Amino acid sequence: MGKISFTNSNTPTITMSAVINFPENFDESLTYPAVVVSHPGGGVKEQTAGTYAAKLAKEGFVTIAFDASYQGESTGEPRQLENPYIRTEDVTAVIDYLTTLPYVDNSRIGAMGICAGAGYTANAAINDRRIKSVGTVSMVNIGQMFRNGWDNSIPDCDAIPAIQGGSDAHTSDASGNPIATIPLAPLREEDAPNEELRQAWEYYHTSRAQYPTAPGYATARSLSQIIPYDAFHKSEAFFTQPLQIVVGSEAGSKWMSDDLLTRAASTDKHMHIVEGANHMDMYDGEAEIAEAIGVLAPFFERTLSERSESVAAAE
């Protein structure tokens, strides 16, 4: 395992910060399947994304967990920009980097993410055919969540004021005022509307998992991009890669995993439900993560090895 940095191929003024993990008995003269791991909105590579990446590496994959542009230890201004289109392009930029590594088999690259990172990963797979298979954990389609609420109870049209708020934040920022921000998870325990989101506060703002580079908020201008965004746009036509969804039975966010499972064109798509787990349990619950890895590792082993064999046969 080691911390690395590289130029973002989509935005060369930005330097990406990441942690790369290697399988046991790694041999640089060989080639390996690789998995890109994307963090939740408001998270960083040192939290749940890094946990999943490290555990997948023990199963035989080169893995890379990275900080999104404008976040964590990656560069870019304004800080904490959460533009979903850029977050999707970041996945592609990481894959660009992986293809330059001689020990990564370019025909065996998979991707996974947690929470909003899973939604961004799904969108990246729709756009980038180099992603051969996709895993998701506690997936959130960030546009759906901000438009329709945690429990999908708000109609789209009611989100217009939020778009207006993002537009107004652009004007305020351009006027030289302090950058306006919004919480990505409750910033105070008393702001949490339910136990599940209270745990989101706890994860990001207590010793449970807080990290100095993860303040838990985003620029308010991001609302202009987030509200109209659909991470699953055109998945009915273009999401044909194998898909493995992992979600807790008690997760308030489960409806978004259900949505992708229905919409994706893939004929190799599956959902594994972790009984009794909520959204946040899948971030750091020891038993819950073990169950998720027990599903995701065989999935990536099957789908990435099959892809490699089919490429070899074609050659």
Side-chain angles (χ1 to χ4, degrees):
M1 182 182 81
K3 186 179 289 187
I4 58 172
S5 61
F6 53 92
T7 298
N8 184 317
S9 54
N10 292 313
T11 310
T13 57
I14 290 178
T15 299
M16 305 294 289
S17 179
V19 172
I20 193 164
N21 303 275
F22 302 104
E24 294 182 9
N25 303 315
F26 173 74
D27 184 341
E28 194 167 341
S29 68
L30 302 177
T31 58
Y32 295 83
V35 179
V36 178
V37 184
S38 298
H39 63 70
V44 290
K45 63 186 181 301
E46 289 83 5
Q47 295 171 324
T48 184
T51 299
Y52 276 90
K55 290 185 178 295
L56 281 174
K58 292 181 179 179
E59 302 297 327
F61 305 94
V62 171
T63 64
I64 185 166
F66 65 97
D67 287 334
S69 297
Y70 306 94
Q71 300 176 28
E73 294 179 313
S74 293
T75 65
E77 296 288 343
R79 299 307 297 165
Q80 301 310 123
L81 183 72
E82 183 76 18
N83 184 317
Y85 303 97
I86 293 173
R87 286 289 309 262
T88 295
E89 286 186 344
D90 282 348
V91 179
T92 289
V94 175
I95 294 173
D96 287 349
Y97 171 74
L98 285 176
T99 63
T100 70
L101 303 178
Y103 48 81
V104 170
D105 184 340
N106 294 346
S107 70
R108 294 194 289 164
I109 295 176
M112 69 156 289
I114 305 95
C115 190
Y120 297 136
T121 298
N123 194 256
I126 293 167
N127 300 322
D128 192 335
R129 304 304 301 180
R130 295 174 300 176
I131 298 174
K132 305 305 181 185
S133 57
V134 172
T136 72
V137 174
S138 290
M139 180 164 50
V140 160
N141 180 341
I142 196 168
Q144 286 181 322
M145 185 186 74
F146 270 80
R147 285 192 304 273
N148 307 125
W150 186 250
D151 58 357
N152 195 24
S153 62
I154 303 170
D156 285 356
C157 60
D158 284 358
I160 290 175
I163 302 177
Q164 182 66 55
S167 302
D168 293 343
H170 273 275
T171 299
S172 177
D173 294 351
S175 298
N177 296 317
I179 299 296
T181 62
I182 56 171
L184 285 172
L187 295 177
R188 303 180 304 169
E189 185 174 14
E190 57 266 32
D191 294 336
N194 55 51
E195 171 58 20
E196 195 167 32
L197 293 179
R198 190 203 67 79
Q199 288 187 32
W201 162 81
E202 181 181 74
Y203 184 86
Y204 287 111
H205 300 293
T206 75
S207 58
R208 176 172 171 178
Q210 64 183 352
Y211 200 79
T213 57
Y217 59 80
T219 58
R221 68 166 65 186
S222 301
L223 288 168
S224 297
Q225 288 78 42
I226 289 173
I227 298 297
Y229 175 76
D230 177 14
F232 309 153
H233 180 63
K234 290 297 182 182
S235 58
E236 299 87 348
F238 302 131
F239 196 130
T240 60
Q241 299 97 318
L243 169 65
Q244 178 63 65
I245 293 169
V246 179
V247 64
S249 63
E250 305 307 307
S253 57
K254 181 178 177 293
W255 62 275
M256 289 174 273
S257 290
D258 294 335
D259 187 36
L260 181 60
L261 186 67
T262 298
R263 291 169 63 180
S266 175
T267 58
D268 182 357
K269 54 183 179 179
H270 311 274
M271 177 182 285
H272 178 83
I273 298 176
V274 180
E275 292 298 332
N278 68 20
H279 183 93
M280 299 306 301
D281 290 331
M282 302 306 304
Y283 282 43
D284 60 350
E286 184 175 343
E288 290 83 357
I289 290 175
E291 185 170 338
I293 293 295
V295 172
L296 291 166
F299 165 75
F300 281 123
E301 181 178 4
R302 173 179 67 83
T303 56
L304 298 182
S305 64
E306 285 178 357
R307 182 68 60 170
S308 179
E309 290 166 5
S310 65
V311 169
E315 293 173 346

PDB file of all heavy atoms in Angstrom, residues 93-117:
ATOM      1  N   ALA A  93     -10.534   9.486 -14.958  1.00  0.00           N
ATOM      2  CA  ALA A  93      -9.151   9.951 -14.818  1.00  0.00           C
ATOM      3  C   ALA A  93      -8.302   8.933 -14.061  1.00  0.00           C
ATOM      4  O   ALA A  93      -7.125   8.714 -14.404  1.00  0.00           O
ATOM      5  CB  ALA A  93      -9.118  11.299 -14.105  1.00  0.00           C
ATOM      6  N   VAL A  94      -8.879   8.309 -13.045  1.00  0.00           N
ATOM      7  CA  VAL A  94      -8.145   7.278 -12.303  1.00  0.00           C
ATOM      8  C   VAL A  94      -7.872   6.071 -13.202  1.00  0.00           C
ATOM      9  O   VAL A  94      -6.781   5.488 -13.168  1.00  0.00           O
ATOM     10  CB  VAL A  94      -8.909   6.872 -11.031  1.00  0.00           C
ATOM     11  CG1 VAL A  94      -8.209   5.713 -10.328  1.00  0.00           C
ATOM     12  CG2 VAL A  94      -9.025   8.053 -10.075  1.00  0.00           C
ATOM     13  N   ILE A  95      -8.849   5.706 -14.003  1.00  0.00           N
ATOM     14  CA  ILE A  95      -8.634   4.603 -14.939  1.00  0.00           C
ATOM     15  C   ILE A  95      -7.552   4.960 -15.946  1.00  0.00           C
ATOM     16  O   ILE A  95      -6.694   4.122 -16.290  1.00  0.00           O
ATOM     17  CB  ILE A  95      -9.946   4.210 -15.639  1.00  0.00           C
ATOM     18  CG1 ILE A  95     -10.916   3.629 -14.618  1.00  0.00           C
ATOM     19  CG2 ILE A  95      -9.697   3.208 -16.769  1.00  0.00           C
ATOM     20  CD1 ILE A  95     -12.305   3.362 -15.152  1.00  0.00           C
ATOM     21  N   ASP A  96      -7.550   6.203 -16.431  1.00  0.00           N
ATOM     22  CA  ASP A  96      -6.468   6.643 -17.316  1.00  0.00           C
ATOM     23  C   ASP A  96      -5.117   6.376 -16.660  1.00  0.00           C
ATOM     24  O   ASP A  96      -4.185   5.866 -17.297  1.00  0.00           O
ATOM     25  CB  ASP A  96      -6.595   8.139 -17.621  1.00  0.00           C
ATOM     26  CG  ASP A  96      -7.736   8.475 -18.562  1.00  0.00           C
ATOM     27  OD1 ASP A  96      -8.329   7.547 -19.156  1.00  0.00           O
ATOM     28  OD2 ASP A  96      -8.040   9.679 -18.702  1.00  0.00           O
ATOM     29  N   TYR A  97      -5.013   6.736 -15.377  1.00  0.00           N
ATOM     30  CA  TYR A  97      -3.753   6.510 -14.668  1.00  0.00           C
ATOM     31  C   TYR A  97      -3.431   5.016 -14.573  1.00  0.00           C
ATOM     32  O   TYR A  97      -2.289   4.599 -14.837  1.00  0.00           O
ATOM     33  CB  TYR A  97      -3.825   7.121 -13.273  1.00  0.00           C
ATOM     34  CG  TYR A  97      -2.652   6.742 -12.404  1.00  0.00           C
ATOM     35  CD1 TYR A  97      -1.396   7.305 -12.610  1.00  0.00           C
ATOM     36  CD2 TYR A  97      -2.799   5.793 -11.390  1.00  0.00           C
ATOM     37  CE1 TYR A  97      -0.317   6.942 -11.826  1.00  0.00           C
ATOM     38  CE2 TYR A  97      -1.718   5.424 -10.601  1.00  0.00           C
ATOM     39  CZ  TYR A  97      -0.478   5.999 -10.817  1.00  0.00           C
ATOM     40  OH  TYR A  97       0.597   5.621 -10.045  1.00  0.00           O
ATOM     41  N   LEU A  98      -4.419   4.216 -14.227  1.00  0.00           N
ATOM     42  CA  LEU A  98      -4.176   2.775 -14.091  1.00  0.00           C
ATOM     43  C   LEU A  98      -3.654   2.162 -15.389  1.00  0.00           C
ATOM     44  O   LEU A  98      -2.815   1.252 -15.367  1.00  0.00           O
ATOM     45  CB  LEU A  98      -5.458   2.055 -13.673  1.00  0.00           C
ATOM     46  CG  LEU A  98      -5.897   2.198 -12.217  1.00  0.00           C
ATOM     47  CD1 LEU A  98      -7.228   1.504 -12.000  1.00  0.00           C
ATOM     48  CD2 LEU A  98      -4.844   1.624 -11.271  1.00  0.00           C
ATOM     49  N   THR A  99      -4.144   2.648 -16.524  1.00  0.00           N
ATOM     50  CA  THR A  99      -3.722   2.063 -17.807  1.00  0.00           C
ATOM     51  C   THR A  99      -2.261   2.347 -18.119  1.00  0.00           C
ATOM     52  O   THR A  99      -1.694   1.726 -19.025  1.00  0.00           O
ATOM     53  CB  THR A  99      -4.596   2.566 -18.974  1.00  0.00           C
ATOM     54  OG1 THR A  99      -4.437   3.979 -19.127  1.00  0.00           O
ATOM     55  CG2 THR A  99      -6.055   2.220 -18.759  1.00  0.00           C
ATOM     56  N   THR A 100      -1.638   3.265 -17.374  1.00  0.00           N
ATOM     57  CA  THR A 100      -0.211   3.537 -17.588  1.00  0.00           C
ATOM     58  C   THR A 100       0.675   2.625 -16.758  1.00  0.00           C
ATOM     59  O   THR A 100       1.901   2.654 -16.915  1.00  0.00           O
ATOM     60  CB  THR A 100       0.125   5.002 -17.239  1.00  0.00           C
ATOM     61  OG1 THR A 100       0.037   5.203 -15.813  1.00  0.00           O
ATOM     62  CG2 THR A 100      -0.804   5.972 -17.962  1.00  0.00           C
ATOM     63  N   LEU A 101       0.074   1.830 -15.863  1.00  0.00           N
ATOM     64  CA  LEU A 101       0.846   0.972 -14.979  1.00  0.00           C
ATOM     65  C   LEU A 101       1.049  -0.394 -15.638  1.00  0.00           C
ATOM     66  O   LEU A 101       0.076  -1.062 -15.987  1.00  0.00           O
ATOM     67  CB  LEU A 101       0.126   0.807 -13.636  1.00  0.00           C
ATOM     68  CG  LEU A 101      -0.180   2.117 -12.892  1.00  0.00           C
ATOM     69  CD1 LEU A 101      -0.945   1.819 -11.604  1.00  0.00           C
ATOM     70  CD2 LEU A 101       1.096   2.900 -12.597  1.00  0.00           C
ATOM     71  N   PRO A 102       2.277  -0.842 -15.789  1.00  0.00           N
ATOM     72  CA  PRO A 102       2.526  -2.084 -16.531  1.00  0.00           C
ATOM     73  C   PRO A 102       1.958  -3.331 -15.861  1.00  0.00           C
ATOM     74  O   PRO A 102       1.724  -4.339 -16.526  1.00  0.00           O
ATOM     75  CB  PRO A 102       4.053  -2.147 -16.605  1.00  0.00           C
ATOM     76  CG  PRO A 102       4.537  -1.301 -15.465  1.00  0.00           C
ATOM     77  CD  PRO A 102       3.530  -0.205 -15.328  1.00  0.00           C
ATOM     78  N   TYR A 103       1.700  -3.269 -14.566  1.00  0.00           N
ATOM     79  CA  TYR A 103       1.200  -4.441 -13.846  1.00  0.00           C
ATOM     80  C   TYR A 103      -0.322  -4.495 -13.774  1.00  0.00           C
ATOM     81  O   TYR A 103      -0.882  -5.387 -13.162  1.00  0.00           O
ATOM     82  CB  TYR A 103       1.804  -4.515 -12.446  1.00  0.00           C
ATOM     83  CG  TYR A 103       1.744  -3.216 -11.665  1.00  0.00           C
ATOM     84  CD1 TYR A 103       0.578  -2.831 -11.007  1.00  0.00           C
ATOM     85  CD2 TYR A 103       2.861  -2.387 -11.584  1.00  0.00           C
ATOM     86  CE1 TYR A 103       0.519  -1.641 -10.304  1.00  0.00           C
ATOM     87  CE2 TYR A 103       2.817  -1.193 -10.872  1.00  0.00           C
ATOM     88  CZ  TYR A 103       1.648  -0.830 -10.240  1.00  0.00           C
ATOM     89  OH  TYR A 103       1.588   0.347  -9.538  1.00  0.00           O
ATOM     90  N   VAL A 104      -1.019  -3.543 -14.383  1.00  0.00           N
ATOM     91  CA  VAL A 104      -2.477  -3.573 -14.446  1.00  0.00           C
ATOM     92  C   VAL A 104      -2.908  -4.085 -15.813  1.00  0.00           C
ATOM     93  O   VAL A 104      -2.456  -3.603 -16.853  1.00  0.00           O
ATOM     94  CB  VAL A 104      -3.075  -2.167 -14.205  1.00  0.00           C
ATOM     95  CG1 VAL A 104      -4.575  -2.155 -14.517  1.00  0.00           C
ATOM     96  CG2 VAL A 104      -2.846  -1.745 -12.756  1.00  0.00           C
ATOM     97  N   ASP A 105      -3.763  -5.092 -15.820  1.00  0.00           N
ATOM     98  CA  ASP A 105      -4.331  -5.628 -17.059  1.00  0.00           C
ATOM     99  C   ASP A 105      -5.482  -4.717 -17.473  1.00  0.00           C
ATOM    100  O   ASP A 105      -6.539  -4.693 -16.829  1.00  0.00           O
ATOM    101  CB  ASP A 105      -4.826  -7.056 -16.817  1.00  0.00           C
ATOM    102  CG  ASP A 105      -5.341  -7.729 -18.084  1.00  0.00           C
ATOM    103  OD1 ASP A 105      -5.676  -7.024 -19.053  1.00  0.00           O
ATOM    104  OD2 ASP A 105      -5.411  -8.971 -18.106  1.00  0.00           O
ATOM    105  N   ASN A 106      -5.286  -3.978 -18.545  1.00  0.00           N
ATOM    106  CA  ASN A 106      -6.295  -2.999 -18.963  1.00  0.00           C
ATOM    107  C   ASN A 106      -7.619  -3.619 -19.370  1.00  0.00           C
ATOM    108  O   ASN A 106      -8.648  -2.932 -19.422  1.00  0.00           O
ATOM    109  CB  ASN A 106      -5.764  -2.153 -20.117  1.00  0.00           C
ATOM    110  CG  ASN A 106      -4.600  -1.281 -19.712  1.00  0.00           C
ATOM    111  OD1 ASN A 106      -4.331  -1.095 -18.524  1.00  0.00           O
ATOM    112  ND2 ASN A 106      -3.890  -0.743 -20.693  1.00  0.00           N
ATOM    113  N   SER A 107      -7.626  -4.899 -19.656  1.00  0.00           N
ATOM    114  CA  SER A 107      -8.872  -5.579 -20.011  1.00  0.00           C
ATOM    115  C   SER A 107      -9.610  -6.102 -18.790  1.00  0.00           C
ATOM    116  O   SER A 107     -10.679  -6.702 -18.917  1.00  0.00           O
ATOM    117  CB  SER A 107      -8.580  -6.751 -20.961  1.00  0.00           C
ATOM    118  OG  SER A 107      -7.903  -7.803 -20.286  1.00  0.00           O
ATOM    119  N   ARG A 108      -9.043  -5.856 -17.583  1.00  0.00           N
ATOM    120  CA  ARG A 108      -9.655  -6.361 -16.349  1.00  0.00           C
ATOM    121  C   ARG A 108      -9.727  -5.259 -15.298  1.00  0.00           C
ATOM    122  O   ARG A 108      -9.171  -5.382 -14.218  1.00  0.00           O
ATOM    123  CB  ARG A 108      -8.874  -7.562 -15.825  1.00  0.00           C
ATOM    124  CG  ARG A 108      -8.943  -8.784 -16.722  1.00  0.00           C
ATOM    125  CD  ARG A 108      -8.442 -10.022 -15.996  1.00  0.00           C
ATOM    126  NE  ARG A 108      -7.003  -9.983 -15.793  1.00  0.00           N
ATOM    127  CZ  ARG A 108      -6.356 -10.787 -14.929  1.00  0.00           C
ATOM    128  NH1 ARG A 108      -7.026 -11.646 -14.174  1.00  0.00           N
ATOM    129  NH2 ARG A 108      -5.044 -10.692 -14.813  1.00  0.00           N
ATOM    130  N   ILE A 109     -10.407  -4.184 -15.619  1.00  0.00           N
ATOM    131  CA  ILE A 109     -10.580  -3.084 -14.680  1.00  0.00           C
ATOM    132  C   ILE A 109     -12.050  -3.014 -14.257  1.00  0.00           C
ATOM    133  O   ILE A 109     -12.948  -2.916 -15.102  1.00  0.00           O
ATOM    134  CB  ILE A 109     -10.140  -1.741 -15.293  1.00  0.00           C
ATOM    135  CG1 ILE A 109      -8.626  -1.766 -15.570  1.00  0.00           C
ATOM    136  CG2 ILE A 109     -10.486  -0.585 -14.355  1.00  0.00           C
ATOM    137  CD1 ILE A 109      -8.111  -0.521 -16.270  1.00  0.00           C
ATOM    138  N   GLY A 110     -12.269  -3.096 -12.972  1.00  0.00           N
ATOM    139  CA  GLY A 110     -13.609  -2.954 -12.412  1.00  0.00           C
ATOM    140  C   GLY A 110     -13.686  -1.707 -11.566  1.00  0.00           C
ATOM    141  O   GLY A 110     -12.670  -1.028 -11.328  1.00  0.00           O
ATOM    142  N   ALA A 111     -14.881  -1.370 -11.108  1.00  0.00           N
ATOM    143  CA  ALA A 111     -15.055  -0.181 -10.283  1.00  0.00           C
ATOM    144  C   ALA A 111     -16.165  -0.416  -9.275  1.00  0.00           C
ATOM    145  O   ALA A 111     -17.126  -1.132  -9.552  1.00  0.00           O
ATOM    146  CB  ALA A 111     -15.379   1.037 -11.155  1.00  0.00           C
ATOM    147  N   MET A 112     -16.009   0.192  -8.116  1.00  0.00           N
ATOM    148  CA  MET A 112     -17.047   0.135  -7.091  1.00  0.00           C
ATOM    149  C   MET A 112     -17.047   1.451  -6.327  1.00  0.00           C
ATOM    150  O   MET A 112     -16.121   2.256  -6.421  1.00  0.00           O
ATOM    151  CB  MET A 112     -16.841  -1.042  -6.135  1.00  0.00           C
ATOM    152  CG  MET A 112     -15.647  -0.919  -5.220  1.00  0.00           C
ATOM    153  SD  MET A 112     -15.803  -1.912  -3.703  1.00  0.00           S
ATOM    154  CE  MET A 112     -17.068  -0.994  -2.802  1.00  0.00           C
ATOM    155  N   GLY A 113     -18.100   1.665  -5.565  1.00  0.00           N
ATOM    156  CA  GLY A 113     -18.178   2.856  -4.746  1.00  0.00           C
ATOM    157  C   GLY A 113     -19.160   2.651  -3.617  1.00  0.00           C
ATOM    158  O   GLY A 113     -19.935   1.678  -3.609  1.00  0.00           O
ATOM    159  N   ILE A 114     -19.115   3.568  -2.679  1.00  0.00           N
ATOM    160  CA  ILE A 114     -20.015   3.543  -1.524  1.00  0.00           C
ATOM    161  C   ILE A 114     -20.825   4.822  -1.540  1.00  0.00           C
ATOM    162  O   ILE A 114     -20.293   5.903  -1.818  1.00  0.00           O
ATOM    163  CB  ILE A 114     -19.221   3.427  -0.206  1.00  0.00           C
ATOM    164  CG1 ILE A 114     -18.291   2.206  -0.221  1.00  0.00           C
ATOM    165  CG2 ILE A 114     -20.167   3.358   0.993  1.00  0.00           C
ATOM    166  CD1 ILE A 114     -16.871   2.488  -0.648  1.00  0.00           C
ATOM    167  N   CYS A 115     -22.123   4.713  -1.258  1.00  0.00           N
ATOM    168  CA  CYS A 115     -23.025   5.856  -1.182  1.00  0.00           C
ATOM    169  C   CYS A 115     -22.998   6.628  -2.508  1.00  0.00           C
ATOM    170  O   CYS A 115     -23.159   6.038  -3.565  1.00  0.00           O
ATOM    171  CB  CYS A 115     -22.662   6.726   0.021  1.00  0.00           C
ATOM    172  SG  CYS A 115     -23.880   8.022   0.414  1.00  0.00           S
ATOM    173  N   ALA A 116     -22.806   7.946  -2.473  1.00  0.00           N
ATOM    174  CA  ALA A 116     -22.783   8.705  -3.722  1.00  0.00           C
ATOM    175  C   ALA A 116     -21.666   8.234  -4.636  1.00  0.00           C
ATOM    176  O   ALA A 116     -21.794   8.296  -5.865  1.00  0.00           O
ATOM    177  CB  ALA A 116     -22.623  10.194  -3.430  1.00  0.00           C
ATOM    178  N   GLY A 117     -20.559   7.737  -4.058  1.00  0.00           N
ATOM    179  CA  GLY A 117     -19.477   7.200  -4.874  1.00  0.00           C
ATOM    180  C   GLY A 117     -19.914   6.024  -5.711  1.00  0.00           C
ATOM    181  O   GLY A 117     -19.399   5.799  -6.811  1.00  0.00           O
TER     182      GLY A 117
END
